[in-house]
Amino acid sequence: MTTPERDPTLIDAEALLAELLAATRRRLWLHARVALLAEIAGADLGAELAGIARRHRHTDIRLLVDDDLALKEQLPSLVESIKRLPSAVSVRRLEASEESPLTVTAIADHSGWMQLTQAGGRRILRGDVEDRPGTQRAVQDFEANWSLSDEAVELRRLLV
């Protein structure tokens, strides 16, 4: 039986996320619906976050997810890294409405961003490693959502 071909947009999103992670020096903010993040993140996301955290002592890594229990179940290697880096990684939860599209937004430092959106069977990828105006807009959206979010209770239970 042949394996189904992957959507080229997902492949492009994986590549752009990898570029952003490699370019990140001090700040990585990630706002994601866990189901879509699990499709593009791969097993190395936790290791990448650990590498970013070790680059500088004032690293700012923030994860804003829709479901912290799903994060624990679908991306266990990422959760293991979060447990090892409690002072470098902040995780919060912001429930998304059922009818809102699945999105993953990543912001690297002050220069790069990406957003993958899935709605109605279509996927759209936007962003670039070098796009300061786009990054600034993404930062404003992230900060607004971060201020509305709650502590990730499931992950806090793991860390206690």
Side-chain angles (χ1 to χ4, degrees):
M1 176 177 238
T2 61
T3 59
E5 264 189 55
R6 288 196 64 216
D7 183 336
T9 306
L10 288 179
I11 295 167
D12 292 345
E14 282 177 358
L16 183 53
L17 181 59
E19 278 185 73
L20 287 172
L21 291 170
T24 301
R25 295 293 161 242
R26 292 182 61 177
R27 177 177 80 176
L28 179 73
W29 292 355
L30 188 63
H31 182 185
R33 297 281 294 262
V34 173
L36 190 55
L37 179 62
E39 286 191 64
I40 66 167
D44 295 341
L45 184 57
E48 290 288 340
L49 291 186
I52 293 167
R54 288 186 199 102
R55 287 183 192 141
H56 198 278
R57 67 183 180 135
H58 296 294
T59 301
D60 181 12
I61 300 173
R62 298 183 193 181
L63 300 175
L64 183 56
V65 297
D66 64 324
D67 187 350
D68 48 342
L69 181 58
L71 183 68
K72 200 166 76 171
E73 292 170 353
Q74 294 180 25
L75 294 164
S77 64
L78 174 59
V79 172
E80 284 301 314
S81 290
I82 291 168
K83 287 187 336 188
R84 287 192 308 263
L85 304 165
S87 63
V89 180
S90 301
V91 182
R92 297 191 64 131
R93 186 178 61 84
L94 180 64
E95 275 191 48
S97 65
E98 298 249 344
E99 62 275 353
S100 67
L102 298 177
T103 60
V104 172
T105 303
I107 303 165
D109 294 325
H110 297 283
S111 59
W113 71 286
M114 70 162 272
Q115 183 174 54
L116 175 64
T117 306
Q118 177 178 307
R122 292 186 51 215
R123 293 184 176 114
I124 300 168
L125 178 63
R126 300 179 307 161
D128 195 357
V129 176
E130 290 294 326
D131 179 10
R132 287 187 181 273
T135 302
Q136 189 57 36
R137 286 188 299 276
V139 164
Q140 290 170 350
D141 290 345
F142 184 93
E143 287 175 333
N145 287 316
W146 187 262
S147 67
L148 297 172
S149 65
D150 299 318
E151 185 177 7
V153 176
E154 284 297 323
L155 296 180
R156 190 174 66 78
R157 287 182 189 147
L158 284 175
L159 299 174
V160 171

